[in-house]
């Protein structure tokens, strides 16, 4: 999948939506999921979903975490599910004990899939940390956003507006 990036303020990027089904999660073992039993795409049907690609040594990802946590707290009862996909860039990020410590330190409560082999990264054709794939209730990738995001910034407002719009659509 070729993503066309449209640059916005402060180097923010929003990629063109793919309008394709969310691919099946590539890790199905309980050991490959934190904060949740393994999820399937079928589990997410009927929910708006935000798939977040991150790596714990990524400074931009680290700075984005408070916004994601606030987003999760604000929207989870309204039908949004956030699934974080930890795809490491550095060897140290492949160590489960270090990832567990970072999930605890960053107060991440949403499901986290451990993508140490990069298979889900490739399944979505992802190229960036952090990257956010917004999925509608039918399981279609509707929007892709790329880059560090903070509460109230241009990208956060755009993502939240799209979440509101998708939540308002009929299931």
């Amino acid at each position: 999948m070729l993503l066309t990036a449209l640059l916005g303020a402060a180097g923010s990027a929003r990629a063109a939506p793919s309008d394709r089904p969310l691919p099946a999660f590539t890790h199905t073992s309980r050991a490959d999921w934190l904060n949740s039993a393994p999820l399937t795409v079928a589990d997410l049907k009927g929910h708006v979903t935000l798939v977040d690609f991150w790596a714990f040594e990524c400074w931009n990802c680290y700075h984005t975490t408070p916004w994601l946590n606030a987003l999760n707290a604000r929207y989870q009862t309204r039908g949004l599910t956030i699934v974080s996909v930890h795809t490491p860039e550095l060897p140290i990020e492949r160590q489960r004990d270090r990832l567990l410590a970072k999930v605890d330190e960053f107060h991440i409560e949403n499901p986290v899939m451990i993508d140490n082999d990069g298979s889900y990264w490739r399944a979505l054709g992802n190229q960036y940390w952090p990257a956010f794939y917004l999925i509608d209730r039918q399981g279609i990738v509707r929007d892709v956003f790329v880059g560090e995001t903070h509460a109230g910034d241009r990208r956060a407002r755009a993502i939240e507006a799209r979440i509101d719009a998708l939540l308002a659509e009929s299931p």
Side-chain angles (χ1 to χ4, degrees):
M1 171 175 84
L2 177 63
L3 296 177
T4 304
L6 303 172
L7 293 180
S12 65
R14 178 176 177 207
S18 67
D19 290 328
R20 68 178 177 119
L22 181 68
F25 292 117
T26 56
H27 297 275
T28 59
S29 166
R30 180 65 185 108
D32 290 331
W33 286 82
L34 306 176
N35 300 336
S36 170
L39 294 175
T40 67
V41 171
D43 294 330
L44 301 174
K45 291 286 174 123
H47 294 264
V48 173
T49 303
L50 184 71
V51 175
D52 157 47
F53 278 92
W54 70 294
F56 69 72
E57 289 290 328
C58 166
W59 195 247
N60 294 334
C61 299
Y62 171 75
H63 283 165
T64 297
T65 301
W67 169 74
L68 275 171
N69 289 343
L71 193 71
N72 190 47
R74 191 168 76 223
Y75 281 96
Q76 69 180 343
T77 59
R78 295 181 50 204
L80 176 70
T81 300
I82 297 175
V83 178
S84 294
V85 178
H86 185 268
T87 306
E89 179 179 19
L90 305 173
I92 194 171
E93 293 171 315
R94 287 180 171 75
Q95 296 175 16
R96 183 181 176 81
D97 59 333
R98 296 216 182 209
L99 175 57
L100 285 167
K102 290 298 182 178
V103 166
D104 184 54
E105 177 186 338
F106 298 167
H107 307 288
I108 298 170
E109 296 179 355
N110 56 274
V112 177
M113 184 177 74
I114 303 171
D115 187 33
N116 278 351
D117 64 357
S119 57
Y120 203 63
W121 175 282
R122 290 187 303 278
L124 269 167
N126 191 47
Q127 301 177 35
Y128 308 101
W129 294 276
F132 311 100
Y133 291 76
L134 192 53
I135 318 305
D136 69 16
R137 294 176 194 270
Q138 290 74 40
I140 304 300
V141 178
R142 298 280 289 272
D143 290 283
V144 182
F145 298 87
V146 174
E148 184 175 322
T149 305
H150 301 270
D153 73 14
R154 184 176 180 175
R155 184 176 306 106
R157 289 191 315 269
I159 294 170
E160 291 166 24
R162 288 297 294 144
I163 290 169
D164 288 332
L166 292 176
L167 288 171
E169 288 181 2
S170 297

